[in-house]
Each structure stands twice: as C-alpha cells, then as structure tokens.
Amino acid sequence: MDVGRIFNGMQYKVTMETERGGSATSEREEPGSYSAELSVKVKVPKPHRDLEELKRLNADLPSLLPSLPGMLETARVSPFFEELYRRKVENLRSNLQRLDALLSRHNFFDTETVLELQHPQSKRRALLVQADMDVDEDGSDSDRVPEVDGSSVTFQPFTSYRWSKRTDIPNSFAQWRVDKVRQLERELTSGGLSPARIQELKETVARLKSEISDLRKYSYLVGSKDPFIVLPGSMFGKAEGGFSPSVGDYCVVAYGKTLYPAIVGDVGPKYKTGEGSLRLCKELNKRANSGNRPVSDLKVTYLVFPGTDEKPWGVPNLDRWRERCGKLLEELGGYQGELFKWEDLTKPKLPPDFIGPPMPPPAGGTTAPVSTPAVPSPKAL
C-alpha cells in the first residue's frame, strides 16, 4: 500500500530506496543501514473576513446579525488566529518523535477565522470565532449538583470559572484525591526509592493537596448543566486593542437560526479551539456526548464580548445571562431570530399538581382542617 492514512487523519506516502553496502555483519551494527526518514508537510490555512465565505459555513448569519455585513467592511483579522496556528505547528514539531501523539487533522484545521468586530455607533467590540464544536464535560458543584458523571477519560472536576462554596456538602471528587495522597505518602515512607521517584511522588502529592483544597473551597460550572464555551489559553492575558477575552465574558453561539447565550467558562489548550459545554452541545445536536462532537464542520459562530465579565463570579443565573447577551447583541446592531432561553436544570422539577404545604393558622385563631396533597420528600423530587 503506497498511500495510506494513520488514525489521526494524516496522509502518508511510502517509497523505498536500496544501495550497495558492506557485509551483513557490519551493516547489522550500523543504525543507518536500515532506516526510514519522515518529512511532515502541513498547509497552514489563511483566515478571511469575507461575508460570502462566512455564509458558506453559516448561511443564516446575515439575517441573525443585520449589522454584520457593515462591520465586516472594517473588521480586522485577529492576531489570535496567527498565534493559534503558530501554536499548532509548534505542537506538531514537539511531537515529531511520536507519530501517535501528533495533532489530528480535525484538530489542526478546527478554526476558519477569528475577526475583531466593532459597531460604528455604539463602539461595542466583539470577537467572532468561526470553528467547529467539541464537547467539554468538566466541572462540579456539590451545592447544586451533588452527583456528576466523571467517567469520561478527559473529565476534570474544575473549570476556570469558579466561586466560593455556599454549603458544607462535600465534593465527591475530593475523597479519591484524599485516598490517593495517603497511598502515595505511604510509598514515600517505604524506603528504597530512587531520587527521581521521590521527587515525582512529592510533586504529585503537592498537586493533589492543592486540588483537594480547591474542591473544598470552590464550586465550578457543570458541563452537563451550564451553557459555556472554552477558548484556547493563547487568547487570554494579552492587550489586543480591547479584544482580549477573559474568563466570565459573555458570549453568544450562533448555529442555524438560533442564538445561544453563554459565558466563557474555561481555558483550553493553547493550540485548540471550538469547544462547548455538554449542555450547549446537546442543544446543537441531541446525540452529543464525550465520544461524539455535535458539529464537526466549521459551522459554529462564537461571538465573544471582551471585557464584559461581572465580578464577583457566582452561581450561574441563566436568565441574567440571557438578558445581558440580548443587550450586548443590541449594542452590536441588534439581532433577529431566537435568543434561546435556558432552563435551570439544577432546580428540582415539581409535579404539576404540587401546591406546597398547608398555610399555618393565624396567630391566636383556629382553622378547619384543609385537605392538601402530600408534599413530596426531597428524595422523591
């Protein structure tokens, strides 16, 4: 087979050359006498700011955002685009000795463009990212969601967006770390360890203790309950004329004829973009899960509003998020179509006939007994 494809989507071609050598005994000892040479060739894509190019990926954008065509005339391709692909190439170079670890074709070509938009009258800025969408299931909050599915191999109980815990309900992901620290500390005192192993154990114990402390002090967004997006770390911490995003900034995801309000909830790898929480992903595609991304093509538009995060961070208020995103869209020239309304999935659903417990009798008086439906127990809810 002279042309093939390895699992990460990279095409390869194989040719073979022979030449006269020395004796079999001498050539057996020469590493270069039986070898393969690899040359990795990658085409780095160019960004665009053309409306027709965007319409090929998301035909509804001009109708959803009536002011977009005008803003595109003065839009600038963000330096974040070049930085993102520089990081991707850097990642490939650093893994050339590990073909199985090379960035996949899908993740290399995951971003179509990154544009800096500004409305001429309101001066409202927005960062437009055109990309695909992968699934983020991270996050935990024992106050709102006592049980979180952490079975995904990439799951982490943390998100960059966090706030102080409100209750004493323990985070279930802390106990595993407590048990692991005890195990590693026993190994440290067992003796006979190499200096390298001792150093490795000490670093792991320190990291786990820090994570335990955070899980006891903070609550985080929950991927399956909260709508948020993830941006690459290369986009944060830079002053790019007011277009540098921050964790907590409001954003709107445009897909099809719908606008989805959300926030920037987490920081991802510096060389990868196009990621949303499982809650958001399932609205775009009901079959989305940890092994099935909702949108593989670059058809998702992310509108991020830099400088709009509100401190202090706190428990997600989905109605407030929707209201703020609606106002920000108005400042960007208005919008048409549906601005999606999220339901708070962390609140227990009461049965339709539930009217609550009977009212207490007035002080000093009596009332006739009133027949009321039984109040469901918290467990039943």
Side-chain angles (χ1 to χ4, degrees):
M1 187 170 66
D2 61 348
V3 178
R5 178 182 293 178
I6 57 179
F7 74 95
N8 60 5
M10 179 175 287
Q11 298 288 138
Y12 65 88
K13 297 181 179 180
V14 180
T15 60
M16 190 175 76
E17 298 177 3
T18 62
E19 63 181 84
R20 286 293 180 180
S23 68
T25 299
S26 62
E27 296 297 352
R28 177 178 282 186
E29 302 302 322
E30 172 58 44
S33 64
Y34 195 77
S35 63
E37 296 182 2
L38 175 68
S39 176
V40 176
K41 297 181 180 180
V42 179
K43 291 186 177 181
V44 178
K46 64 178 181 180
H48 61 77
R49 57 185 183 89
D50 183 81
L51 180 62
E52 292 304 315
E53 295 288 343
L54 285 173
K55 284 170 61 177
R56 289 191 182 96
L57 296 170
N58 191 339
D60 296 298
L61 270 183
S63 58
L64 287 173
L65 305 170
S67 294
L68 179 61
M71 288 188 290
L72 286 176
E73 293 179 3
T74 58
R76 183 174 77 126
V77 174
S78 170
F80 293 138
F81 183 89
E82 182 178 348
E83 174 69 8
L84 176 67
Y85 275 93
R86 186 187 71 80
R87 296 276 186 174
K88 290 176 182 291
V89 172
E90 185 179 86
N91 177 269
L92 290 179
R93 285 201 179 103
S94 65
N95 287 293
L96 285 178
Q97 304 304 318
R98 286 283 311 277
L99 288 182
D100 59 327
L102 288 182
L103 201 61
S104 71
R105 173 185 290 266
H106 173 89
N107 285 331
F108 188 85
F109 298 107
D110 64 7
T111 307
E112 183 77 7
T113 194
V114 182
L115 300 175
E116 296 176 351
L117 304 178
Q118 186 168 25
H119 192 267
Q121 279 76 48
S122 70
K123 305 304 180 183
R124 168 57 61 194
R125 295 183 178 91
L127 201 63
L128 185 152
V129 180
Q130 189 70 34
D132 61 4
M133 182 176 283
D134 291 336
V135 178
D136 185 305
E137 295 183 289
D138 291 348
S140 60
D141 178 7
S142 55
D143 295 350
R144 297 182 300 143
V145 190
E147 296 297 327
V148 171
D149 181 6
S151 59
S152 170
V153 294
T154 60
F155 175 83
Q156 292 291 335
F158 317 97
T159 59
S160 302
Y161 187 98
R162 69 184 189 181
W163 60 94
S164 297
K165 277 182 60 60
R166 308 292 178 87
T167 75
D168 295 328
I169 302 174
N171 189 308
S172 60
F173 296 102
Q175 188 58 48
W176 175 88
R177 288 165 169 79
V178 171
D179 296 339
K180 188 66 176 179
V181 165
R182 290 171 181 164
Q183 175 191 334
L184 297 179
E185 288 179 335
R186 285 195 297 269
E187 184 179 349
L188 270 171
T189 59
S190 63
L193 301 175
S194 67
R197 178 58 178 166
I198 291 174
Q199 181 64 25
E200 179 187 7
L201 289 173
K202 286 182 177 180
E203 291 175 356
T204 304
V205 167
R207 174 178 59 80
L208 290 174
K209 285 184 175 180
S210 176
E211 291 179 356
I212 292 167
S213 175
D214 285 345
L215 289 170
R216 287 173 173 170
K217 289 193 301 183
Y218 299 108
S219 289
Y220 303 87
L221 297 172
V222 178
S224 61
K225 309 296 182 183
D226 301 318
F228 62 88
I229 69 167
V230 182
L231 291 179
S234 54
M235 285 190 177
F236 295 90
K238 297 181 180 180
E240 298 287 350
F243 285 94
S244 183
S246 300
V247 173
D249 280 344
Y250 287 103
C251 66
V252 172
V253 175
Y255 184 69
K257 299 180 183 298
T258 306
L259 297 161
Y260 299 91
I263 66 165
V264 178
D266 211 354
V267 179
K270 294 181 178 180
Y271 51 84
K272 182 179 180 296
T273 191
E275 195 171 359
S277 66
L278 179 61
R279 176 77 190 277
L280 178 58
C281 289
K282 280 191 169 296
E283 286 301 327
L284 272 60
N285 184 338
K286 299 299 183 185
R287 296 182 296 173
N289 55 45
S290 60
N292 185 37
R293 66 179 63 90
V295 184
S296 291
D297 295 329
L298 309 183
K299 294 185 175 182
V300 182
T301 306
Y302 303 80
L303 272 178
V304 181
F305 298 96
T308 59
D309 69 307
E310 298 179 335
K311 300 280 184 22
W313 296 341
V315 179
N317 183 332
L318 302 186
D319 289 338
R320 167 68 177 171
W321 290 8
R322 183 176 185 271
E323 176 189 1
R324 287 290 294 125
C325 286
K327 290 182 177 179
L328 290 167
L329 286 171
E330 291 293 345
E331 292 176 9
L332 205 64
Y335 68 94
Q336 297 177 1
E338 178 188 5
L339 182 60
F340 191 80
K341 182 174 176 59
W342 296 102
E343 176 188 359
D344 188 348
L345 299 182
T346 67
K347 294 180 179 179
K349 292 184 178 180
L350 299 176
D353 58 347
F354 177 66
I355 61 173
M359 294 293 292
T366 60
T367 59
V370 178
S371 175
T372 60
V375 179
S377 68
K379 184 175 181 181
L381 295 178

